[in-house]
Amino acid sequence: MPRVGILVAVGLLAALVVAAVVLPVPDPAQLRSWVSGAGWAAPVLLFVAYVVATMVPIPRTVFSLASGLLLGPVVGVAVALTATAVSALGSFALARSVGRRLVARYLERDRVRAVDARLTGGGWLAVASLRIIPAIPFLPTNYACGLSSVRARPYLAGTMVGSLPGTAAAVALGDTLTGTTPPALLAVYAVLAVAGAAGLWFAIRRRPALLS
C-alpha cells in the first residue's frame, strides 16, 4: 500500500477512536426510540441487512440480537425469522445451481454419498436438528444442504422449525439487553444443543421410506 494510503488509514482509525471516546454513546432505550421514529423503514432496512450479511460469514445471532434490541420481541422475531428463511433459501439455491457442478466429482465418493443419503432420508427433521444445535454455523449448513440431495421444501421447513427457538431466544435477549452474555442464553443454547443432537440421531436412524 502506498504511503499516502497508510496515512489515510491511520488517520481514519485515529478519528474513529477519538469519536468513540468523545461522542456520547446512546443507550438501548435511545436506540429503540430512534428506530421507532423511522417508521416502516427500520424493519425493512434491518431485514435487508440481515439477509445480505448472513449470506456471508457474519454470525446470524448478532442480527437476531439487534432485531430484539431495535424492533422489540414481536416485530423482531418476525423480521429475524423471515430474513433467516430468505437468506437460507438464497444460499441453498446458489449451492444447488452452481456449487454442485463445481464439486460434482467429490459427491460420488462413498462416504459423501452415505452422508447425503442419511441427510436426505432424515428430511425436514434432520435439517431442523442441525439448525437447533448452536455450534453448527448457519451459512456452511446452507451450502452443505444445497450440495446434498435434500429437497427445497423439507429444507425450508426444517430451517424454519429448527431456527425458531434460537432466534426467538436471541431476539428476546436483545430486547432485554444487559451488555453481557446472560446465563439464561448459555442455558438455552445448552438445551437446544441437546435437543438438536437427539433429533439428528433420531432422524438419521429412521428409514427414508418412513419419511416420504
Side-chain angles (χ1 to χ4, degrees):
M1 179 184 294
R3 182 174 300 178
V4 174
I6 295 176
L7 292 176
V8 171
V10 172
L12 290 174
L13 180 60
L16 290 174
V17 172
V18 171
V21 173
V22 175
L23 296 177
V25 178
D27 59 36
Q30 289 177 314
L31 288 174
R32 176 75 65 83
S33 177
W34 293 346
V35 170
S36 298
W40 60 267
V44 170
L45 290 175
L46 184 55
F47 170 83
V48 173
Y50 198 125
V51 171
V52 173
T54 52
M55 290 187 70
V56 296
I58 296 179
R60 191 172 66 90
T61 304
V62 173
F63 288 88
S64 297
L65 289 169
S67 298
L69 170 64
L70 300 177
L71 304 177
V74 177
V75 178
V77 168
V79 169
L81 197 59
T82 306
T84 294
V86 173
S87 176
L89 274 178
S91 304
F92 177 87
L94 181 63
R96 180 63 55 91
S97 61
V98 179
R100 283 181 67 89
R101 293 198 299 268
L102 297 177
V103 299
R105 58 178 178 175
Y106 301 104
L107 298 178
E108 297 301 320
R109 295 181 178 180
D110 292 340
R111 290 185 178 181
V112 176
R113 294 178 64 183
V115 172
D116 181 41
R118 290 291 186 179
L119 181 60
T120 304
W124 72 269
L125 181 57
V127 177
S129 300
L130 290 172
R131 296 298 192 190
I132 288 176
I133 302 175
I136 298 180
F138 176 72
L139 187 61
T141 302
N142 299 344
Y143 289 144
C145 290
L147 293 175
S148 74
S149 302
V150 175
R151 292 176 298 170
R153 184 174 297 179
Y155 166 77
L156 179 59
T159 294
M160 296 293 285
V161 172
S163 299
L164 178 58
T167 300
V171 169
L173 289 167
D175 183 47
T176 58
L177 191 64
T178 62
T180 58
T181 302
L185 178 60
L186 300 179
V188 168
Y189 281 172
V191 172
L192 293 178
V194 173
L200 185 61
W201 178 85
F202 180 72
I204 64 177
R205 288 186 64 85
R206 296 180 69 184
R207 291 183 300 173
L210 297 177
L211 297 166
S212 60

